[in-house]
Amino acid sequence: MLKELKSKLIAGKKTKNGTKRRFYRKSLIMILLVASIPGLITGALVYGIAGGRLESELLQMHNKQIEQRARNIDTQLTNLELTLSHWAFDSKFDYSLESRNFVQDFEKARDISKTLLVMQGSNSINKTVQLYLGGDKEPVLFEPEYAPLTNKQDRELYEGLLDSEKVTYWTEMSFEPQRPENKELTLVHYIPGGSLKPFGALIIRLDKEKVADMLRTMTPYDGGETFFLQDNGSLFASTGSSNHDSSFVTALKAEIAAKGQADGSFFLDWEGATFTVTYGKFSRIADSWTYVSASPITSITEPVVFISKIIFTVSLSALLLAALLAWFASRTIYSPVNRLLTLLTAGKSLPQEQGDEFSLIERQWQHLSRESTELHSKLSEQLPYVKESFLHQLLQGYLFAYSEEDLLGRMERYKWKVDHHRFIVVYMQLTGMASLEGKFKYGDEGLVTFAAVNMIEEFASEHFEQSKTINFHDLAAGLLLIVPKESSYAESLQTFGTELTHAVNHILNMRLTIAVSEPTDAIADIPLSFEGVKHAASQRNVENENQLIDIGKLHAEGAGSDEPQYPFTLEREFIQALRTGQEAEADELLRAFLEALSCKGAKAVDVQQGMLHLLGSVQHAIMVSGIQPTRLFKCVNLYEQLSQIREPQLILTWFQERVCSPFMKELGGRSDAQVKRLIEHAMIYLQQNFMKDISLDNCADHIGANPFFLSKSFKLVTGKNFIDYLTGLRMEKAKELLRESGLKINDVAEQVGYQHSYFNRIFKKLEGMTPSRYRELSQAK
């Protein structure tokens, strides 16, 4: 339509402005008039359908939605009951609490408070979790902190909770005697669990607003009422301000009682409006609840009717708009002020206020100035969190533009004592990942490094007054030591290295290389010291053993006289075996090549440089054979990957899997290249869309193939079936989010395309633990 309008405008240009305007006006009016007629017809049809069959179908859909959401709420409450029962039977809440003095045994009190906080955070609708301990001694209440109950009213209130014949039950009560009308939905479980003589109770008080929000999920439209109540009428919760004896609620209960059924749906006429009502049962502990959702029928059909009216209005307005646009098009638009307003308001609509454009500009400028001040204030509040990243930026050299005085001032603001002190940089590398025999697996480098960093921090705090550890998450860590200038640090550093190495060897079953820089008095020289110790760490012997490298002694010794010789003959034989497709012989030659590089006394950097040179020769051979390396290796920077591997065995495995195997498969499958390209498109599609609802059929549609053919070819080319490959992508992303983000478990499930409950089951099946447990192991200190 816009192209047609533009062509008519260009064709209608005349030498006289009046003629041009008349033609433009007539053409625009005609176009908009024709465009408005379909809108009028569409609006009439939509309005007619909304009052007929659509109303009935929407009502059925509405009832199904309410039943589904009711089941979700039932599941949530059941999980809450199971969680409380689990903790009630926990050994932390046994009879030992009855006679314990929590003032003296403050460690036990703190442990109970932590447990209550964990229980409180386990469900979003929990307001607070309390532990009440009665008995012969003075009553005690944890909420979650320890506090004796000295108020008589409070004692009577909590003692009343222990009067029930049920071990666990729901109730609705006010915990504020001065506000008896402010009742909260509460779940109570006596402790110890299963005891015939309970002396206390675990109490979960639900957030009244969040309970109301939970009930609102059963009312997808505005208006109406949603509530649930115990069958004996002693407990009642609703989304609004209605109480159990309001006229509307009473009418609903009477109508449900007249139906004589446990669940169902019906229409209710009330005060000139028709409501659709859905009700059913919740089975709770030794009790039964009834849920009721009543929504105005107009809330279902009103959106459709509203849209039809909008279509009517827009279509009719198009006639008037034709004349207005023709009038505006015949004049020169005054735009600079409007552009300035648009720039200041970021395209948002302005309020209808009196005054000219310059008054609006002034007010908007003041508004932006206030926002700037508020943002600056918030940044100042967050400044303490910024200092954690300061040291990482300093080591990496990102603060090179700062002067020594600026860096000194920043470190002093971060509470470091730097005056009359020297700085020592220590770089540590973990090796031996290939020899762990299943204790850790590839992908757990971050977890292993995290454990090592905790050990480094502990030992460093014992031997040095000021230290800070940096986690590089790749089996490497940095340590900045700040020592007094007049003190001797050599003995402390030697002891620290010995104790840390011993702990890493026995606890993590790995080897440790420690590189120590020379002390420096200037903060600006710390990045140079860091680069120096990283280089020194690369000079370690390739054997998998513990090493302590003092960069000062390394410089004094210099390079050795016996430099390793590059095995050119083995390189040629290996490349020839690759070209001829002799995979077994190529593997043996590659192993022999690596052993020649790793002869006794070889440095890690020599082995790594030799393998990088071999990688370049292999890529040249691949190009000579007519295969493009960027396509074969999917544009992966192999040099960068190889440069991050420090152990010969891992280098050998990586070279076989990432370089040799793809080339061999490409040689063996050239005759079936079209099928492989098709599967590559499917794999790329899965990698980019795994978080969505993907099936074999829509993936086949995307690449233009038959689903049966795609399934068979996918298994043949990748070695995995379609579902296993998709599940693997999702699990890897889920583990990454669990390790590196603070997202909730259900948010992580949505990010990778799963529902929460199914995500928990499949994660535990594949990983052997729940997502929560995996996060604890990855992030716990």
Side-chain angles (χ1 to χ4, degrees):
M1 181 66 71
L2 290 175
K3 291 182 178 179
E4 182 182 356
L5 178 59
K6 183 177 180 181
S7 63
K8 289 189 176 184
L9 288 173
I10 296 175
K13 288 185 177 180
K14 304 293 182 180
T15 56
K16 296 182 179 180
N17 290 337
T19 304
K20 178 183 69 173
R21 292 172 183 169
R22 285 197 301 270
F23 178 81
Y24 176 82
R25 188 181 302 113
K26 290 179 181 179
S27 300
L28 187 59
I29 290 174
M30 180 60 67
I31 292 171
L32 294 179
L33 179 61
V34 173
S36 65
I37 293 175
L40 294 172
I41 297 175
T42 303
L45 291 175
V46 173
Y47 187 82
I49 293 174
R53 182 178 178 182
L54 181 60
E55 178 179 312
S56 176
E57 293 181 355
L58 286 177
L59 288 177
Q60 295 178 6
M61 184 182 299
H62 169 73
N63 292 334
K64 292 180 180 179
Q65 290 176 349
I66 296 303
E67 292 174 357
Q68 175 63 37
R69 294 172 184 178
R71 287 194 293 269
N72 293 339
I73 294 177
D74 186 33
T75 301
Q76 190 170 359
L77 295 177
T78 300
N79 291 338
L80 195 62
E81 295 169 350
L82 292 175
T83 300
L84 186 61
S85 297
H86 167 77
W87 283 107
F89 282 89
D90 194 277
S91 60
K92 292 182 180 180
F93 304 106
D94 56 13
Y95 279 106
S96 64
L97 300 180
E98 186 176 11
S99 59
R100 190 177 296 272
N101 188 331
F102 292 101
V103 176
Q104 297 178 354
D105 193 356
F106 64 90
E107 289 289 344
K108 183 65 176 179
R110 184 174 62 179
D111 182 55
I112 291 176
S113 297
K114 289 182 178 179
T115 302
L116 295 180
L117 286 173
V118 171
M119 295 172 62
Q120 181 174 318
S122 64
N123 199 305
S124 60
I125 64 174
N126 292 347
K127 178 180 179 181
T128 183
V129 178
Q130 301 175 327
L131 171 64
Y132 172 70
L133 301 176
D136 299 333
K137 298 181 65 177
E138 181 181 4
V140 172
L141 178 66
F142 287 83
E143 54 171 347
E145 299 295 335
Y146 164 80
L149 279 179
T150 57
N151 186 281
K152 181 179 180 182
Q153 289 183 327
D154 291 340
R155 288 185 179 182
E156 293 175 351
L157 186 149
Y158 284 96
E159 279 297 327
L161 294 176
L162 300 179
D163 291 340
S164 175
E165 297 178 356
K166 300 177 182 178
V167 175
T168 177
Y169 62 92
W170 288 89
T171 184
E172 185 180 32
M173 64 182 299
S174 173
F175 288 85
E176 302 178 21
Q178 64 276 18
R179 298 176 62 188
E181 75 285 353
N182 187 20
K183 295 184 177 182
E184 299 175 356
L185 192 59
T186 305
L187 178 59
V188 182
H189 199 301
Y190 293 164
I191 60 169
S195 172
L196 297 178
K197 296 181 179 180
F199 63 88
L202 282 171
I203 306 165
I204 297 181
R205 295 165 53 184
L206 303 188
D207 191 303
K208 191 172 183 180
E209 292 298 327
K210 291 184 178 179
V211 171
D213 291 339
M214 179 178 66
L215 290 176
R216 288 190 187 97
T217 63
M218 297 174 60
T219 309
Y221 309 104
D222 294 334
E225 182 65 69
T226 298
F227 62 89
F228 61 75
L229 66 152
Q230 284 180 318
D231 288 353
N232 58 16
S234 61
L235 184 148
F236 177 85
S238 69
T239 59
S241 58
S242 302
N243 50 47
H244 65 279
D245 57 354
S246 68
S247 57
F248 184 54
V249 173
T250 301
L252 287 172
K253 292 194 291 187
E255 187 68 23
I256 293 173
K259 296 291 182 182
Q261 297 178 352
D263 54 40
S265 59
F266 57 88
F267 291 104
L268 177 66
D269 293 326
W270 180 260
E271 295 182 355
T274 302
F275 292 80
T276 176
V277 182
T278 300
Y279 65 96
K281 292 289 187 179
F282 286 155
S283 294
R284 300 270 60 82
I285 299 177
D287 205 344
S288 178
W289 295 2
T290 299
Y291 69 85
V292 182
S293 175
S295 298
I297 190 62
T298 52
S299 297
I300 302 175
T301 58
E302 184 177 6
V304 182
V305 175
F306 178 71
I307 291 174
S308 65
K309 291 180 179 180
I310 290 178
I311 296 175
F312 263 109
T313 303
V314 171
S315 300
L316 291 174
S317 300
L319 299 176
L320 178 60
L321 184 62
L324 293 176
L325 289 178
W327 182 76
F328 277 112
S330 63
R331 286 168 172 78
T332 302
I333 304 300
Y334 176 66
S335 60
V337 175
N338 288 333
R339 288 200 301 269
L340 180 57
L341 283 173
T342 303
L343 181 64
L344 289 176
T345 60
K348 298 179 181 179
S349 59
L350 291 171
Q352 299 296 326
E353 300 179 1
Q354 295 181 354
D356 55 19
E357 292 87 349
F358 295 100
S359 298
L360 293 175
I361 291 173
E362 181 182 358
R363 287 195 292 271
Q364 189 64 19
W365 180 265
Q366 293 174 351
H367 172 68
L368 292 176
S369 178
R370 288 194 300 271
E371 285 189 345
S372 176
T373 303
E374 293 174 0
L375 289 174
H376 186 271
S377 176
K378 291 180 180 179
L379 180 61
S380 299
E381 294 175 359
Q382 298 297 323
L383 189 59
Y385 303 100
V386 178
K387 72 176 186 179
E388 295 182 5
S389 64
F390 166 77
L391 188 55
H392 188 276
Q393 297 179 33
L394 179 63
L395 292 178
Q396 298 296 336
Y398 299 148
L399 305 179
F400 66 92
Y402 287 82
S403 65
E404 181 70 16
E405 291 73 17
D406 293 336
L407 294 174
L408 181 65
R410 290 189 64 177
M411 294 193 73
E412 288 178 345
R413 288 197 299 271
Y414 296 154
K415 307 303 181 182
W416 276 315
K417 298 177 182 178
V418 294
D419 193 19
H420 300 294
H421 281 70
R422 294 184 295 179
F423 307 95
I424 303 172
V425 179
V426 183
Y427 184 77
M428 287 158 279
Q429 283 185 355
L430 296 169
T431 56
M433 193 74 174
S435 61
L436 291 183
E437 300 179 352
K439 186 175 183 180
F440 294 103
K441 60 183 179 179
Y442 299 117
D444 290 340
E445 289 85 355
L447 185 61
V448 177
T449 311
F450 177 77
V453 166
N454 286 339
M455 299 167 64
I456 294 170
E457 290 179 342
E458 180 179 350
F459 285 107
S461 63
E462 293 177 359
H463 294 281
F464 303 100
E465 182 181 354
Q466 297 186 83
S467 63
K468 181 61 179 177
T469 307
I470 302 298
N471 188 349
F472 296 119
H473 306 283
D474 60 349
L475 299 180
L479 177 66
L480 177 65
L481 302 177
I482 305 176
V483 297
K485 287 184 178 181
E486 63 278 3
S487 67
S488 175
Y489 65 90
E491 183 177 352
S492 298
L493 193 57
Q494 183 67 36
T495 305
F496 162 75
T498 302
E499 294 179 357
L500 177 62
T501 301
H502 183 269
V504 170
N505 293 164
H506 286 76
I507 298 176
L508 299 181
N509 197 24
M510 297 189 72
R511 299 297 173 262
L512 182 65
T513 298
I514 304 177
V516 182
S517 75
E518 295 181 319
T520 178
D521 296 333
I523 302 175
D525 292 337
I526 291 178
L528 298 177
S529 299
F530 178 65
E531 290 299 322
V533 291
K534 285 184 64 177
H535 176 73
S538 68
Q539 299 295 315
R540 66 178 179 85
N541 292 331
V542 73
E543 289 88 354
N544 186 22
E545 58 185 19
N546 301 310
Q547 299 175 50
L548 177 61
I549 303 173
D550 190 329
I551 194 171
K553 296 180 180 179
L554 186 66
H555 290 162
E557 294 173 358
S561 57
D562 297 330
E563 297 184 354
Q565 299 298 318
Y566 185 80
F568 290 98
T569 302
L570 289 174
E571 177 192 282
R572 289 193 297 271
E573 294 176 357
F574 170 66
I575 292 177
Q576 181 62 27
L578 281 181
R579 287 174 173 172
T580 57
Q582 303 177 50
E583 185 171 1
E585 183 177 352
D587 286 344
E588 291 298 325
L589 289 169
L590 178 62
R591 191 180 302 276
F593 180 89
L594 186 57
E595 289 176 356
L597 287 178
S598 307
C599 61
K600 187 171 183 61
K603 304 294 185 182
V605 66
D606 298 329
V607 176
Q608 195 170 67
Q609 291 298 322
M611 295 306 294
L612 287 170
H613 180 80
L614 177 63
L615 177 61
S617 300
V618 170
Q619 294 217 49
H620 179 265
I622 292 174
M623 294 179 66
V624 171
S625 65
I627 301 174
Q628 185 57 246
T630 55
R631 178 186 62 80
L632 179 63
F633 302 120
K634 301 177 182 178
C635 299
V636 173
N637 190 340
L638 297 180
Y639 293 99
E640 180 180 359
Q641 289 189 358
L642 180 57
S643 63
Q644 300 300 319
I645 306 176
R646 304 184 181 97
E647 300 180 40
Q649 184 59 40
L650 296 181
I651 292 176
L652 176 64
T653 303
W654 179 90
F655 217 98
Q656 290 172 337
E657 295 178 353
R658 299 298 178 89
V659 180
C660 300
S661 181
F663 181 52
M664 291 295 184
K665 289 181 180 178
E666 180 73 14
L667 288 178
R670 281 189 175 183
S671 60
D672 202 17
Q674 185 176 1
V675 174
K676 292 184 177 181
R677 284 196 297 270
L678 197 66
I679 298 305
E680 286 178 1
H681 290 321
M683 293 170 68
I684 292 173
Y685 175 74
L686 292 179
Q687 292 167 5
Q688 295 176 347
N689 299 275
F690 66 88
M691 70 293 298
K692 301 178 182 177
D693 186 11
I694 299 178
S695 67
L696 180 65
D697 290 339
N698 57 37
C699 183
D701 291 340
H702 176 77
I703 65 174
N706 179 273
F708 176 78
F709 173 80
L710 173 60
S711 177
K712 182 178 179 181
S713 302
F714 200 96
K715 176 69 174 179
L716 183 63
V717 173
T718 66
K720 297 182 179 179
N721 60 43
F722 181 88
I723 294 301
D724 290 343
Y725 184 84
L726 177 59
T727 302
L729 290 176
R730 289 173 169 172
M731 287 299 103
E732 288 301 318
K733 183 62 177 178
K735 289 193 291 183
E736 178 185 341
L737 293 174
L738 290 171
R739 291 193 305 265
E740 301 178 5
S741 74
L743 292 175
K744 296 182 178 178
I745 301 301
N746 56 348
D747 292 334
V748 172
E750 293 178 0
Q751 291 262 352
V752 297
Y754 284 126
Q755 293 183 352
H756 185 201
S757 58
Y758 182 72
F759 172 70
N760 284 337
R761 291 199 302 272
I762 194 169
F763 191 97
K764 185 174 182 181
K765 177 181 178 182
L766 296 178
E767 300 300 326
M769 64 183 74
T770 63
S772 300
R773 182 59 178 166
Y774 182 87
R775 170 171 281 174
E776 291 175 0
L777 293 177
S778 301
Q779 298 182 353
K781 291 186 178 180

